[in-house]
Amino acid sequence: MREPRPEDVPKPGPWLRAADGEVLLPSQDGKESASALLTADGRVLRVDANYADVLGVNALPDLGTSWPDTLPAMLIETGRQMFDELTGAERVDRIVPLLASDLRWARLRLRRVQDLEGTALVLVQVDDLTSPDRASLVAQVIRDPLTGVFNRRALEELLALPGRWTERYTGVLAVDVRRFRRVNDVWGRAVGDACLAEVARWLDSLTADNDVLIRLADAEFLVLLSQSSPVPQALTDRPSRTVTVGEHAVQLSLQAGLASSGPLPELAARAEMALSEAKRSGWRTVVAWSGSLAEAADRAARTEEAVQQAVASRAETVHFQPLLDVVAGRVIGVEALVRLGGAAAGVPASQILQASHRLGLTPALARRVYRQALRDGLRLREVFPDCQLAVNVSREFLSTGLAVDTLLAAVAESGVPSREVTLEITEDVATGLSAQLLQTELAKAAAAGLAIAVDDFGRGETSLALLRMLPLAAIKLDRSLLPTSGDDQPGWDFVAGAVALLSRITPVLVAEGVETAEQSSRLVELGVARQQGFLFGMPAPAEHWLTHPVAFPPPEPE
Ligand code: G
Ligand code: MN
């Protein structure tokens, strides 16, 4: 390397021609653009005097140097790729980050040209795109037009840099505006846009010099954090602001996910994962990424994928489990339980329901399951006459307001009398569902003749207030309350107490999860003759029950 000399200054004047015949004008000297002329095999013939300045390298290259080696170290590989691409193209154009003392951006253009003698050459043009004031369309490729901060494309270029260049970013903060959709819905897009520009200014005002602010999408931003960046602490201390747009005062509140230590691409992904957790929690402001978050997210993603595949391939089946009156000695009901095969085999029902709800698959899946349950339920009446057919309705499906109509349609279509159908809800419907929706839906079901049972009582958020409000036909005591050993006196005292209360507030009390003859007879002693559990039969397809009797009466305990 050496200092520039006057003869290095090229005059890539009208003697250069592009393939399309265009005559290229001399390049302009300045801080923002420079050019170099290369032989067809990529050796430097001439360079502009400002070539080194624009690229941020120390000195002008020697003539004859292979062109990629004239670039800053982080771009040498990119330069080689570009030159290779030029073999099959007239021109190659890229926007690349330059991480010198601060973050800069350049556009590199390679173009095949000829001089007047017809010698094939390559013209390199370098434009500095760093200044946010540059209004050119090219500069906009890496900037978000609304807020002026860097965009997703800029992030991708940075993530593509070899790791050691991005080590200066020791953390990533993913930021989102709480319930931003509502701002758009309530005040309109124009106000929403103004708020986003304000959020960008707000975040920018918190950043340190070497932090990089990026808008990813909608109201989501990423901050690449330099060592000891003040942004995470500043947001933790003060996550809300009132923004005035015209005559509207909009309260904006931020949530964030923080990832620290690791390579940049991982940091970015982890920060977003932590942000999702913050949003799921609702109340948390800054959530730090951890390994257990990743495991949970991974599991949830695998479940969703499996459920999606299974529902798409209609891999659902309906199993039935009998419910007995062990004193009267007869089967008084069967409960229909959905099972997913294929990729989702073995996933617990509660997870299937939540995943299918998140994926928007519940209405279609439920319609098919209810139809199947009722069609099979009709056939089971041959072996189990005078039985209630119980169908589970999830809280998630109830929340759509479609559940009862869907079930009633399936009942009507099947020919099973509606008074022989029980709708089972879990007591957790008390949380996360409006009391009004719940009452309307269940009143509709009751009016159509369905019996309503509360399932898994005692496991979740037990609400006596809810029980009082519902048109209740039965309560099923959750299996977690059943002691596994006859010696567990406190456990059995607890069951006795629960039974004393529940038998006064429900016409029918059922014990679930009965697995041993001892449990069964203790329950009978406590006055609970209606029982369901593995002791009498595992959930099985209708075919099984059409050909196999129920294990009844259960063997007496020794
Ligand atoms: O929440 P609900 O009661 O609808 O759940 C029924 C589930 O309980 C079914 O998946 C069924 O396999 C399971 N189950 C039924 N009987 C027993 C039992 O005796 N023991 C255990 N551990 N699980 C049971
Ligand atoms: Mn149930």
Side-chain angles (χ1 to χ4, degrees):
M1 298 276 182
R2 56 179 169 73
E3 287 304 298
R5 289 195 299 265
E7 64 267 30
D8 292 334
V9 178
K11 295 285 173 273
W15 44 272
L16 284 183
R17 246 173 231 286
D20 56 8
E22 186 191 350
V23 174
L24 301 173
L25 297 172
S27 74
Q28 315 230 309
D29 285 352
K31 286 211 299 282
E32 292 185 342
S33 298
S35 54
L37 197 59
L38 317 179
T39 59
D41 66 349
R43 316 231 148 241
V44 174
L45 277 178
R46 290 161 178 258
V47 284
D48 280 354
N50 59 343
Y51 181 83
D53 283 348
V54 173
L55 273 173
V57 292
N58 290 333
L60 280 175
D62 287 324
L63 302 185
T65 308
S66 165
W67 172 69
D69 295 334
T70 69
L71 297 169
M74 81 198 61
L75 292 183
I76 293 177
E77 195 43 49
T78 308
R80 288 207 183 103
Q81 281 168 11
M82 289 179 69
F83 202 84
D84 287 349
E85 284 166 30
L86 196 62
T87 324
E90 282 305 319
R91 53 177 83 203
V92 176
D93 195 337
R94 274 194 67 172
I95 290 175
V96 290
L98 293 172
L99 278 175
S101 59
D102 52 3
L103 171 59
R104 297 170 59 236
W105 292 88
R107 177 193 199 184
L108 292 181
R109 280 182 293 174
L110 301 187
R111 194 164 189 192
R112 296 185 167 286
V113 292
Q114 292 184 351
D115 67 12
L116 290 182
E117 276 100 53
T119 312
L121 300 170
V122 173
L123 177 66
V124 178
Q125 289 163 296
V126 186
D127 301 292
D128 187 336
L129 303 178
T130 306
S131 163
D133 307 330
R134 275 192 71 130
S136 79
L137 280 177
V138 175
Q140 291 303 327
V141 170
I142 46 151
R143 287 196 186 273
D144 165 43
L146 177 63
T147 62
V149 304
F150 293 125
N151 62 16
R152 182 168 216 124
R153 165 78 187 272
L155 174 68
E156 269 151 26
E157 295 293 349
L158 284 168
L159 293 180
L161 285 177
R164 70 201 152 103
W165 301 107
T166 53
E167 270 167 18
R168 65 166 73 196
Y169 302 115
T170 54
V172 171
L173 192 73
V175 184
D176 202 3
V177 179
R178 265 201 179 84
R179 287 149 47 94
F180 184 71
R181 276 197 85 92
R182 280 209 61 214
V183 176
N184 281 327
D185 291 348
V186 174
W187 288 285
R189 283 242 162 234
V191 173
D193 285 354
C195 288
L196 285 179
E198 199 52 52
V199 170
R201 275 194 287 277
W202 172 6
L203 289 172
D204 190 48
S205 73
L206 303 177
T207 53
D209 277 352
N210 275 331
D211 292 350
V212 176
L213 178 58
I214 293 161
R215 180 173 171 220
L216 275 190
D218 298 324
E220 192 177 339
F221 294 82
L222 277 195
V223 191
L224 312 189
L225 305 168
S226 55
Q227 191 85 45
S228 69
S229 165
V231 185
Q233 192 59 48
L235 271 195
T236 307
D237 295 343
R238 195 164 167 244
S240 303
R241 249 183 215 196
T242 304
V243 168
T244 311
V245 182
E247 75 253 34
H248 308 293
V250 185
Q251 175 77 14
L252 294 178
S253 167
L254 304 184
Q255 284 184 295
L258 173 66
S260 22
S261 84
L264 189 57
E266 248 122 274
L267 286 176
R270 288 172 177 182
E272 288 202 69
M273 193 183 290
L275 172 61
S276 298
E277 181 59 25
K279 290 205 260 188
R280 230 188 330 269
S281 80
W283 64 276
R284 297 175 74 182
T285 301
V286 178
V287 170
W289 181 87
S290 70
S292 57
L293 259 189
E295 274 164 38
D298 200 49
R299 230 175 305 133
R302 276 203 308 268
T303 303
E304 275 189 7
E305 204 174 307
V307 168
Q308 177 122 51
Q309 277 176 17
V311 174
S313 59
R314 306 194 167 215
E316 73 274 1
T317 48
V318 179
H319 286 201
F320 295 86
Q321 189 180 34
L323 197 165
L324 288 74
D325 183 326
V326 298
V327 172
R330 57 184 207 92
V331 175
I332 56 170
V334 276
E335 177 177 0
L337 295 158
V338 61
R339 291 289 185 267
L340 274 193
V347 179
S350 60
Q351 283 185 34
I352 289 176
L353 295 171
Q354 285 165 18
S356 82
H357 184 66
R358 282 196 299 272
L359 293 164
L361 300 172
T362 301
L365 176 64
R367 191 171 309 119
R368 301 204 304 257
V369 167
Y370 292 167
R371 276 192 181 155
Q372 180 76 54
L374 280 140
R375 213 178 306 131
D376 285 352
L378 193 65
R379 292 164 63 211
L380 284 172
R381 281 150 53 102
E382 289 169 25
V383 283
F384 302 142
D386 303 321
C387 263
Q388 278 298 113
L389 173 66
V391 178
N392 291 280
V393 178
S394 70
R395 166 174 71 173
E396 287 79 14
F397 194 26
L398 267 178
S399 75
T400 64
L402 300 170
V404 172
D405 286 339
T406 306
L407 179 56
L408 289 177
V411 172
E413 188 186 295
S414 71
V416 177
S418 56
R419 75 196 126 66
E420 291 179 20
V421 177
T422 299
L423 183 165
E424 286 193 12
I425 54 173
T426 47
E427 53 178 342
D428 65 5
V429 294
T431 54
L433 260 195
S434 87
Q436 206 202 338
L437 175 69
L438 189 60
Q439 267 178 320
T440 318
E441 288 296 284
L442 295 184
K444 186 161 58 181
L450 303 192
I452 291 163
V454 168
D455 204 359
D456 300 339
F457 182 89
R459 176 163 68 188
E461 299 87 354
T462 299
S463 166
L464 293 176
L466 172 74
L467 293 187
R468 230 186 107 173
M469 183 178 97
L470 295 181
L472 199 62
I475 291 179
K476 298 174 82 174
L477 193 64
D478 189 63
R479 61 172 179 266
S480 63
L481 297 181
L482 269 198
T484 48
S485 140
D487 301 334
D488 180 0
Q489 197 50 46
W492 285 108
D493 287 345
F494 195 89
V495 175
V499 168
L501 169 70
L502 295 179
S503 37
R504 287 207 64 173
I505 63 178
T506 176
V508 171
L509 178 60
V510 178
E512 288 182 315
V514 180
E515 294 182 354
T516 66
E518 184 179 35
Q519 286 175 323
S520 177
S521 50
R522 291 291 285 259
L523 285 163
V524 170
E525 282 164 28
L526 293 173
V528 187
R530 294 176 177 103
Q531 302 176 6
Q532 182 179 348
F534 291 169
L535 176 64
F536 316 105
M538 309 274 287
E543 281 67 33
H544 171 89
W545 298 115
L546 290 170
T547 50
H548 295 74
V550 172
F552 180 86
E556 281 302 310
E558 302 296 305

